Amino acid sequence: MLNSDVGDVPVPRDLIEELSTAYQSLVDHCEGLKKLSEADHARNFEVYIPTFGATEKQRYTADARRAAIIDAVGLTIDDTHNRKYEAGIICASDATVSAVEQLNAAKSHFKETVLKIRNLSLEKRGVSRETVLKNALKSAGIQTLDLRECYRQIRIMPRNLDSISWTWATSHARIQKLSFDEAMALAEGLRDRDGELADTAIDVLRRKCSPDQPLVRRITLPNQLRANYAYREAGKVLRKSCPISGVVIAQQETLPRLAWRENPAFRNEVPVRLQRESKIEPEPVIQALSIHRYVDGQA
């Protein structure tokens, strides 16, 4: 029986049932997709998974397709922890493409249901959205889900795909503006890790920065996988680019022209880049926190 008593915020029983039903729909669509994909391979629909196996030949096999599909439909934390194939292309029949569309729609419905539950926290002060959701998931018996993966849409490429190449966006970062007080709070937070390091960071901030000086924290992001692709439409070749997470579905029987590049993070060579002029000083004032000062007059 589903339990509707969720902490201090009651969750309507029908909403928990909707959550459970939405999750079961995800599971059913995932299983259906796996079966249809297997049938496609038996009908000679091609596949290419660039990081599968030890040889190029293995990357075009039924085993490569099967492993990539299992990755693509993983929903739990354990599933995504073991995820191996961040890229690839799977040629699919109309029936399989339709199954992917239905799975994506089921993911959208699941996300909407989760949002309804999170919003229940608005009815009572002091109760976080995450607490309400966590307890609701537990009540539905699905507390081990990886929500990000449950939301992630499987990308369907345009028809008449002519080419696809994978590239990596490198050396990009998130810039977080900080006040002096916020930087001091971050420095104090280092004390749990290393008291001496916290004291040093606080001392450097006091000596090198003024209370009215804006600062910035530069958080380096992992390399981002992108796809550059071309397809034919109304007699023209159209070219586009997009971020990629996982395999993509091609609405055709044969593979387009392909070009795969390894993640530069795993290569020994460092690409030469023309450095752009930066508004922040190149060296951080607090190395442990990646806190930088602005170049004079650039804040």
Side-chain angles (χ1 to χ4, degrees):
M1 184 188 301
L2 296 175
N3 181 10
S4 61
D5 181 14
V6 181
D8 295 325
V9 178
V11 176
R13 181 174 297 276
D14 60 347
L15 193 50
I16 293 182
E17 289 175 349
E18 182 180 347
L19 179 67
S20 182
T21 301
Y23 169 68
Q24 188 58 49
S25 177
L26 287 183
V27 172
D28 292 343
H29 282 100
C30 287
E31 289 302 312
L33 175 57
K34 285 193 280 188
K35 292 176 182 177
L36 285 169
S37 181
E38 289 282 333
D40 279 353
H41 203 86
R43 294 166 55 197
N44 297 318
F45 280 80
E46 296 179 343
V47 62
Y48 178 68
I49 310 301
T51 56
F52 181 84
T55 67
E56 187 69 7
K57 183 177 180 180
Q58 290 176 310
R59 294 161 189 163
Y60 297 89
T61 62
D63 287 340
R65 172 186 287 266
R66 189 175 302 113
I69 286 289
I70 288 173
D71 257 16
V73 300
L75 300 174
T76 69
I77 294 171
D78 284 344
D79 290 337
T80 54
H81 179 72
N82 294 320
R83 190 176 176 194
K84 298 177 181 177
Y85 309 109
E86 57 194 341
I89 182 167
I90 294 175
C91 292
S93 62
D94 288 345
T96 302
V97 171
S98 177
V100 175
E101 291 172 340
Q102 292 174 48
L103 173 57
N104 285 341
K107 289 184 174 219
S108 295
H109 175 66
F110 180 82
K111 185 175 182 179
E112 290 167 3
T113 305
V114 167
L115 182 60
K116 289 181 191 177
I117 293 172
R118 279 188 163 136
N119 285 342
L120 290 173
S121 65
L122 300 175
E123 300 173 8
K124 189 160 185 176
R125 263 186 194 178
V127 179
S128 74
R129 286 156 46 102
E130 297 310 313
T131 297
V132 173
L133 177 60
K134 181 179 178 181
N135 290 329
L137 291 170
K138 185 176 181 180
S139 295
I142 52 176
Q143 64 268 36
T144 62
L145 293 186
D146 183 327
L147 291 179
R148 181 178 297 180
E149 199 63 20
C150 291
Y151 302 159
R152 186 179 66 85
Q153 301 282 294
I154 298 175
R155 185 176 289 274
I156 300 172
M157 305 304 288
R159 291 187 180 276
N160 303 313
L161 190 64
D162 186 62
S163 67
I164 182 170
S165 63
W166 291 271
T167 59
W168 297 88
T170 61
S171 301
H172 58 303
R174 179 162 58 88
I175 302 299
Q176 176 188 7
K177 291 187 177 181
L178 298 172
S179 68
F180 180 83
D181 289 342
E182 288 170 333
M184 289 290 283
L186 286 173
E188 182 62 38
L190 291 171
R191 199 169 301 283
D192 291 338
R193 189 203 321 174
D194 187 325
E196 186 176 343
L197 180 61
D199 289 337
T200 300
I202 290 169
D203 178 62
V204 169
L205 282 170
R206 285 174 174 163
R207 286 189 295 105
K208 294 190 175 183
C209 306
S210 61
D212 60 349
Q213 181 179 16
L215 299 166
V216 65
R217 191 179 189 195
R218 188 179 190 278
I219 302 171
T220 301
L221 300 175
N223 291 343
Q224 182 190 63
L225 184 62
R226 298 188 63 84
N228 302 312
Y229 60 95
Y231 61 99
R232 299 180 182 276
E233 184 176 275
K236 297 181 179 180
V237 176
L238 303 179
R239 302 181 187 280
K240 292 188 178 181
S241 178
C242 64
I244 286 291
S245 175
V247 297
V248 299
I249 304 298
Q251 304 180 69
Q252 56 202 54
E253 187 173 343
T254 59
L255 289 167
R257 291 178 292 117
L258 303 168
W260 167 252
R261 297 173 181 85
E262 293 290 342
N263 189 340
F266 304 138
R267 298 183 198 154
N268 292 326
E269 70 270 17
V270 178
V272 177
R273 292 181 175 274
L274 181 63
Q275 295 298 318
R276 294 181 297 178
E277 185 177 354
S278 176
K279 293 184 177 182
I280 64 174
E281 294 180 350
E283 295 299 322
V285 66
I286 304 293
Q287 182 79 39
L289 295 171
S290 297
I291 293 178
H292 297 248
R293 294 182 299 190
Y294 281 99
V295 175
D296 288 345
Q298 296 292 318

